[in-house]
C-alpha cells in the first residue's frame, strides 16, 4: 500500500512541478512592460476599514504615482480607529474621500465600498485595490502599457507578497502553489480555457467590462470578491490577463500565521461555493498530495521509497529555489503548510455549517443568503 501510494505521489509531484514550470513561464513581468504615453482616464478605488497601521504608506505610494490622468477615490467603510483622521491629513488634489456610516442589507462591507466608489466615478477605467498595497511610481503606467498592447478589458497583477514572519513566508510559498493550481491564471488570456484571474491588490478593469460582468452588485455577498469578479469577467467573454508585480506592487498580506489562518477561515468555504463535498475533496487532496507524502515515505518507507522521497523533495526544492526564487528551505515546510491548509478548509466549513453562516466585520450573514437562496 505504501509503495503504490509513494509511486503515485512521486509521479504526480514530478509531473506537477513540470506543469507549473511550463505554465508559470507564461506570466510576464510588470517591470518589463513599456510605459504608456496616452493615458486613459482612471479611477483608483480603495476600500478602507480600520487600516490605520498600513494606510498612510499605501496612500502615499498612490499619491506619488507617475500616472497623471487619474482620480483617487478612498471609501472609508465605518472605520472606528484613526483611519478617518489619517485620511483627513492627506492633502492631495486628486483625492476624494467617501464615508459610509451604515451598511445596506445584503452586502458585505468591502464589496459595498468598492461599488460605492464605482458609483462615484465616471472614468473609462477602474482600478480596485486594497489599503495595504504599496505601488512603485511606474506600476500603473506599465500596466496600462501592457493593456494597450494586448487590447485587454481586465488586467490583474500578482503582488509581491511579503511578511515580517519567516514562518508565514514559507507557508505563503506553498499556498501560492496551491492557489495557482486552482485558478490557473496562465489560462486567463485563453477564451476556451476555464482558468481566470482576479486579485484584490490590483484589479484593473474597463468600465464597460465591469458593468457587463455585473459589477460588485452581482457578487455583493462573496467574501472572495476579487476572484469572483475576475471569474465573471472571463465568463462574460471579455479579454483578461495577468502579470507578475515583483518589486513594483508589494504588500504585507498578513503579519503572522495566526492572522493568515483566521483570515482564510472566513472565506475558504466560499471559494468552494459552500459545497461540503468540494470542501471534503479539497481537504483530502491537500492531505494526500501535499501534507502526507514526504512524512509517510520517510518514516514508513523502505530504501526504494525513501529514494522516491528524495526525488520528490528534489523537485520541490527546485520549484522553491529556482522557479519561484524563494528560500530553498521553504520546500521543507510544504508538509506543514499542507496540514495547515487542510485544517483551515475543514474548520471553515465546520464553523460555517455549525453557526449557519459567517460573521464578517461584525455582521452575520446566513448560509442561505450567501448561497443566494434568499434575498
Amino acid at each position: 500500500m505504501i509503495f503504490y501510494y509513494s509511486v503515485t505521489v512521486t509521479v504526480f509531484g514530478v509531473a506537477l512541478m513540470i506543469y507549473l514550470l511550463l505554465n508559470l513561464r507564461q506570466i510576464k513581468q510588470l517591470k518589463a512592460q513599456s510605459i504608456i504615453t496616452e493615458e486613459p482616464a482612471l479611477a483608483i478605488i480603495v476600500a478602507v476599514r480600520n487600516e490605520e497601521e498600513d494606510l498612510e504608506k499605501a496612500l502615499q505610494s498612490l499619491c506619488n504615482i507617475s500616472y497623471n490622468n487619474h482620480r483617487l477615490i478612498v471609501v472609508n467603510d465605518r472605520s472606528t480607529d484613526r483611519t478617518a483622521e489619517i485620511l483627513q491629513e492627506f492633502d492631495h488634489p486628486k483625492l476624494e474621500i467617501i464615508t459610509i456610516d451604515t451598511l445596506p442589507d445584503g452586502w458585505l462591507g468591502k464589496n459595498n465600498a468598492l461599488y460605492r466608489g464605482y458609483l462615484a466615478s465616471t472614468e473609462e477605467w477602474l482600478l480596485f485595490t486594497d489599503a495595504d498595497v504599496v505601488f512603485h511610481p511606474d506600476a500603473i503606467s506599465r500596466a496600462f502599457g501592457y493593456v494597450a498592447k494586448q487590447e485587454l478589458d481586465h488586467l490583474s497583477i500578482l503582488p509581491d507578497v511579503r511578511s515580517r514572519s519567516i514562518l508565514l513566508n514559507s507557508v505563503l510559498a506553498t499556498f501560492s502553489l496551491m492557489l495557482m493550481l486552482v485558478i490557473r491564471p496562465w489560462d486567463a488570456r485563453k477564451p476556451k480555457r476555464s482558468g481566470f484571474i482576479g486579485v484584490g491588490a490590483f484589479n484593473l478593469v474597463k468600465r464597460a467590462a465591469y458593468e457587463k460582468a455585473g459589477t460588485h452588485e452581482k457578487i455583493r455577498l462573496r467574501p472572495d470578491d476579487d476572484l469572483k469578479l475576475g471569474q465573471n469577467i472571463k465568463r462574460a467573454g471579455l479579454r483578461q490577463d495577468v502579470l507578475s508585480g515583483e518589486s513594483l506592487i508589494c504588500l504585507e498580506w498578513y503579519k503572522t500565521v495566526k492572522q493568515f489562518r483566521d483570515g482564510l477561515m472566513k472565506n475558504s468555504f466560499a471559494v468552494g461555493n459552500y459545497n461540503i463535498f468540494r470542501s471534503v475533496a479539497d481537504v483530502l487532496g491537500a492531505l494526500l498530495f501535499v501534507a502526507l507524502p514526504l512524512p509517510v515515505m520517510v518514516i514508513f518507507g523502505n530504501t526504494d521509497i525513501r529514494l522516491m522521497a528524495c526525488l520528490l523533495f528534489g523537485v520541490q526544492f527546485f520549484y522553491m529555489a529556482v522557479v519561484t526564487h524563494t528560500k530553498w528551505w521553504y520546500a521543507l515546510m510544504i508538509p506543514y503548510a499542507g496540514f495547515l491548509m487542510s485544517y483551515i478548509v475543514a474548520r471553515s466549513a465546520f464553523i460555517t455549517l455549525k453557526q449557519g453562516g459567517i460573521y464578517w466585520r461584525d455582521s452575520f450573514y446566513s448560509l442561505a443568503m450567501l448561497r443566494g437562496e434568499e434575498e
Side-chain angles (χ1 to χ4, degrees), residues 191-206:
K192 296 182 179 180
R193 299 288 185 88
S194 61
F196 64 95
I197 187 63
V199 179
F202 197 103
N203 265 330
L204 176 63
V205 56
K206 186 176 287 187

Side-chain angles (χ1 to χ4, degrees), residues 151-189:
E151 299 181 343
L152 300 177
D153 299 299
H154 171 227
L155 175 68
S156 284
I157 295 179
L158 302 173
D160 193 350
V161 181
R162 305 166 181 171
S163 174
R164 65 194 69 182
S165 166
I166 297 175
L167 179 60
L168 179 54
N169 282 328
S170 69
V171 170
L172 288 172
T174 300
F175 170 77
S176 174
L177 183 157
M178 298 170 70
L179 182 62
M180 292 299 100
L181 292 173
V182 171
I183 64 176
R184 302 182 308 283
W186 45 80
D187 284 341
R189 69 172 71 92

Side-chain angles (χ1 to χ4, degrees), residues 66-115:
S66 60
Y67 194 92
N68 294 313
N69 192 13
H70 80 277
R71 181 160 57 117
L72 178 56
I73 302 174
V74 179
V75 186
N76 182 10
D77 177 29
R78 300 165 294 143
S79 293
T80 57
D81 62 358
R82 292 186 57 254
T83 293
E85 180 182 337
I86 293 171
L87 288 174
Q88 291 300 324
E89 292 174 354
F90 271 85
D91 183 17
H92 192 272
K94 297 184 178 182
L95 173 62
E96 177 181 339
I97 301 172
I98 298 173
T99 301
I100 295 177
D101 296 318
T102 58
L103 178 66
D105 293 337
W107 282 87
L108 292 181
K110 179 185 176 184
N111 300 9
N112 175 62
L114 294 175
Y115 183 68

Side-chain angles (χ1 to χ4, degrees), residues 349-366:
F350 173 77
I351 291 176
T352 303
L353 292 171
K354 180 181 179 181
Q355 61 192 19
I358 63 172
Y359 286 93
W360 192 271
R361 300 288 191 177
D362 302 323
S363 298
F364 181 76
Y365 302 87
S366 72

Side-chain angles (χ1 to χ4, degrees), residues 4-5 11 14-15 48 101 125 220 252 262 311 369:
Y4 290 117
Y5 171 68
V11 172
V14 173
V48 302
D101 296 318
W125 283 86
R220 58 188 185 274
E252 186 175 29
D262 294 344
L311 174 60
M369 287 181 62

